[in-house]
Amino acid sequence: MKSEIKYLFLSLDQPAKLNLGMSEWDVESQVFIQGLPVEGNDTPWLSFADLLVDRDEANFVGLTFLIDNEVFWEPMRLLAQSLDPEVIRYNDISTSDAKSMYPGEAGKYRRFEITWAPARTLECEIAQLCCGQWFWWYSKIGSSSLSTHLIALGITDIDDLIAEHNLKFPKNLDFPPLEVEFS
């Protein structure tokens, strides 16, 4: 089943805002989020994303990023604390529930989780999405440290992702609109 969503932009500052669309944006074009010029790149610790899924509803509700290098544990915990707690969670894998979400080797490392919908039964589904399918959007103005001027998360080809993983995209997401422009 084909989705009607091609991309998602989710701001990570409080309050989080959302932009869903079908636009075929060109990765070579300049992107503006809330009027601010941004550039897309990887996570500061170079990790591919896996899916967060609500198993009860078979909904694609977020992304999770493995942080396997302990050098990044504290900086990413602090970054998570500075962003909107409605959509950002730093999971230190310290509880049995957290460990059960990430079985095997994945349960040994901390996680940076981004969600846009609540889940009754949240699980990780290995996807290892590479940059080009998702981007972290950083401000082109301000700090030279990537982790200190993170603006938003963007995901492309959501329709392909949910078809490939036999999922749905949640309906009725309750976020204010996020202004995204391409030039």
Side-chain angles (χ1 to χ4, degrees), residues 8-182:
L8 168 144
F9 283 84
L10 179 66
S11 69
L12 304 176
D13 288 328
Q14 200 165 2
K17 297 177 182 178
L18 184 74
N19 183 302
L20 295 172
M22 288 297 293
S23 174
E24 293 287 335
W25 59 284
D26 177 4
V27 295
E28 300 297 320
S29 68
Q30 175 62 63
V31 177
F32 295 86
I33 297 178
Q34 296 294 111
L36 184 68
V38 295
E39 60 186 349
N41 211 324
D42 294 319
T43 63
W45 62 94
L46 301 175
S47 172
F48 294 133
D50 293 315
L51 308 180
L52 287 174
V53 175
D54 178 346
R55 280 291 166 223
D56 289 344
E57 301 291 327
N59 279 337
F60 172 35
V61 298
L63 294 177
T64 177
F65 297 87
L66 173 98
I67 308 172
D68 61 354
N69 186 335
E70 64 184 70
V71 168
F72 292 104
W73 289 358
E74 184 63 10
M76 293 305 99
R77 184 186 68 76
L78 293 172
L79 177 62
Q81 287 179 343
S82 73
L83 300 172
D84 190 333
E86 292 291 317
V87 296
I88 300 295
R89 179 173 170 225
Y90 179 80
N91 187 339
D92 64 8
I93 313 293
S94 62
T95 67
S96 58
D97 285 344
K99 287 180 183 174
S100 69
M101 274 181 58
Y102 300 104
E105 287 295 311
K108 294 181 179 179
Y109 301 103
R110 298 178 185 198
R111 293 283 180 149
F112 196 94
E113 300 168 343
I114 301 172
T115 57
W116 44 83
R120 288 183 284 185
T121 306
L122 189 63
E123 293 182 9
C124 171
E125 185 165 319
I126 302 300
Q128 291 294 282
L129 306 178
C130 40
C131 195
Q133 196 157 38
W134 63 266
F135 291 93
W136 283 37
W137 292 99
Y138 299 96
S139 168
K140 291 180 96 173
I141 300 168
S143 173
S144 60
S145 169
L146 290 179
S147 64
T148 60
H149 62 286
L150 177 62
I151 302 295
L153 174 81
I155 306 170
T156 63
D157 300 327
I158 289 178
D159 50 354
D160 296 333
L161 273 174
I162 63 175
E164 180 180 325
H165 291 270
N166 198 27
L167 298 169
K168 301 176 297 202
F169 198 81
K171 294 182 175 22
N172 304 322
L173 299 177
D174 189 24
F175 291 97
L178 177 66
E179 179 187 329
V180 179
E181 298 175 53
F182 310 101

